[in-house]
Amino acid sequence: EALESLGFDTLKLQVQLHRKLAFPFSTLVMVLLGIPFSFVVGRRGALYGVATSLVIAILYWAVMETFQALGENAILPPLLAAWAPNLIFAASGLYLVLNLET
């Protein structure tokens, strides 16, 4: 607030602050997303599970960086820019959990 009152552009700092709060929840999102794949690995092998987890992690990182850039360029509000990747991946994980064939 002090920097903003002095006339500095604090949008990038706001995005980073919200991202620091949202990032610890990424572990819970990854667990929610990994549960359905843990049931599939038994049928397809361990290498399939490792490859899938790497692809998901890289995709999550790319989405996080994209939304951070959108927030820092004032295309999205800082709160949404930080929390959107968690919301997107949690929704997809929840969808996969609810449609899991056991």
Side-chain angles (χ1 to χ4, degrees):
E1 291 178 4
L3 289 174
E4 196 171 1
S5 66
L6 293 173
F8 290 104
D9 183 26
T10 60
L11 191 60
K12 185 175 181 178
L13 296 173
Q14 290 176 5
V15 172
Q16 290 175 358
L17 174 67
H18 287 292
R19 189 172 173 184
K20 282 183 181 182
L21 296 173
F23 188 72
F25 289 97
S26 65
T27 56
L28 297 175
V29 170
M30 287 298 147
V31 167
L32 182 64
L33 195 57
I35 289 172
F37 290 106
S38 67
F39 288 105
V40 176
V41 169
R43 290 184 238 150
R44 296 190 181 167
L47 189 58
Y48 175 80
V50 171
T52 304
S53 64
L54 285 174
V55 168
I56 290 171
I58 291 170
L59 186 64
Y60 181 77
W61 173 76
V63 169
M64 267 184 34
E65 293 299 319
T66 302
F67 275 91
Q68 180 180 354
L70 291 173
E72 289 176 355
N73 291 315
I75 297 172
L76 288 175
L79 184 70
L80 182 62
W83 285 94
N86 284 347
L87 295 175
I88 291 169
F89 280 84
S92 62
L94 188 61
Y95 173 78
L96 291 172
V97 166
L98 293 176
N99 291 325
L100 183 64
E101 294 180 16
T102 56

